[in-house]
Amino acid sequence: MRRDAADEPRLETTPEGLSLVAGEMRLIGDFTSMLPRLKPHALGRELLVKAAKIRHVEEGQTLRAVDATAGLGEDSILLAASGFHVTMFEHDPLIAALLRDALERASHVEELGVIVSHMELVEGDSISGMASLDFAPDVVYLDPMFPAKRSASAKKKLQLFQRLESPCSDEEALLEAALALDPRKVVVKRPLKGPQLAGAKPSHAIKGKTVRYDCIVCSPR
Ligand SMILES: C[S@@+](CC[C@H](N)C(=O)[O-])C[C@H]1O[C@@H](n2cnc3c(N)ncnc32)[C@H](O)[C@@H]1O
């Protein structure tokens, strides 16, 4: 089927911020919409925060997380608000541009400025990028695109993500690169009934209504 030029994803500067536009679909990074979920009482109920929780933290210790599949950084900001310094990798240049713009705008918002100051974006592939990190993070978080039905009912945001990103084809390499960092644990987001990433059996899983967080506990350190 022929695709109209207007359907090709392109970046546009709008009064709200940098937007990715394709036909009727529009995607913008926006951390202010996350504010209700970042309040302390709400944050403690977030399944990702529970899954990434590190027990026995030493006084003055900086907890570090690597988000190897950052997307628009919504999961990363949950980790940052719960006390992690987060290094985010995003390899798609259009998504990375949206994320960088969202971080910049959030840095001027009173309730978000400190949180996003603990989030650092690395534009590029995390499989090679993780190998170059000079620290061992406490947590590595993986949320690669899952093969999903390209239905008209899928959320507009998801549809646009699906246009840019194919389902992860190198699950083994991604998991191997995460484990090679010697983290205390690797947390993997999966659809509730989806298969485990690279078939790796988790130590335990935290389940919600539609998603599941598989936790692979590695070294206690
Ligand atoms: C499902 S989305 C992640 C959504 C994200 N958890 C959030 O909260 O917005 C997956 C993202 O990971 C990125 N990605 C997938 N594999 C990657 C890799 N090897 N290195 C860097 N980015 C990757 C994709 O471009 C996509 O933006």
Side-chain angles (χ1 to χ4, degrees):
M1 194 174 46
R2 216 181 110 251
R3 193 178 273 174
D4 214 280
D7 279 344
E8 284 308 317
R10 62 191 186 282
L11 290 172
E12 269 181 14
T13 305
T14 70
E16 294 77 35
L18 196 64
S19 298
L20 183 61
V21 183
E24 296 290 291
M25 294 182 276
R26 183 172 287 274
L27 191 60
I28 185 165
D30 174 24
F31 289 122
T32 59
S33 65
M34 293 291 289
L35 277 170
R37 295 174 66 189
L38 302 179
K39 302 246 185 272
H41 66 282
L43 202 56
R45 290 200 296 267
E46 289 286 343
L47 299 183
L48 171 59
V49 171
K50 290 183 188 175
K53 195 166 181 70
I54 295 290
R55 305 194 189 278
H56 314 300
V57 182
E58 281 165 33
E59 181 94 31
Q61 184 191 345
T62 303
L63 287 173
R64 301 201 68 152
V66 169
D67 181 346
T69 53
L72 291 180
E74 293 184 358
D75 288 329
S76 274
I77 201 168
L78 293 172
L79 294 173
S82 69
F84 288 93
H85 182 105
V86 188
T87 302
M88 304 176 285
F89 286 94
E90 176 49 56
H91 67 180
D92 184 282
L94 299 177
I95 303 286
L98 294 185
L99 176 52
R100 191 168 292 291
D101 183 64
L103 287 167
E104 210 287 314
R105 279 182 282 113
S107 69
H108 303 293
V109 177
E110 198 183 338
E111 304 97 307
L112 293 172
V114 173
I115 303 174
V116 297
S117 73
H118 296 135
M119 297 165 70
E120 173 199 359
L121 172 61
V122 181
E123 296 187 30
D125 175 47
S126 59
I127 296 174
S128 52
M130 284 193 275
S132 315
L133 291 179
D134 58 1
F135 63 90
D138 298 280
V139 173
V140 179
Y141 177 57
L142 307 175
D143 175 21
M145 193 63 85
F146 191 77
K149 287 186 207 134
R150 289 173 190 255
S151 71
S153 62
K155 274 198 206 159
K156 290 265 181 284
K157 179 172 151 186
L158 186 61
Q159 286 181 20
L160 201 38
F161 257 106
Q162 287 170 347
R163 283 271 296 276
L164 296 172
E165 174 76 5
S166 315
C168 184
S169 58
D170 38 16
E171 295 189 356
E172 282 81 9
L174 188 62
L175 184 59
E176 238 171 66
L179 292 170
L181 280 175
D182 191 26
R184 293 209 221 179
K185 58 175 143 176
V186 176
V187 176
V188 185
K189 188 179 189 175
R190 299 266 84 187
L192 184 59
K193 301 222 165 107
Q196 292 146 357
L197 186 78
K201 196 171 175 325
S203 317
H204 61 275
I206 295 186
K207 294 178 181 172
K209 286 193 183 121
T210 56
V211 295
R212 186 183 86 225
Y213 293 91
D214 287 347
C215 304
I216 303 171
V217 178
C218 312
S219 65
R221 267 200 253 136

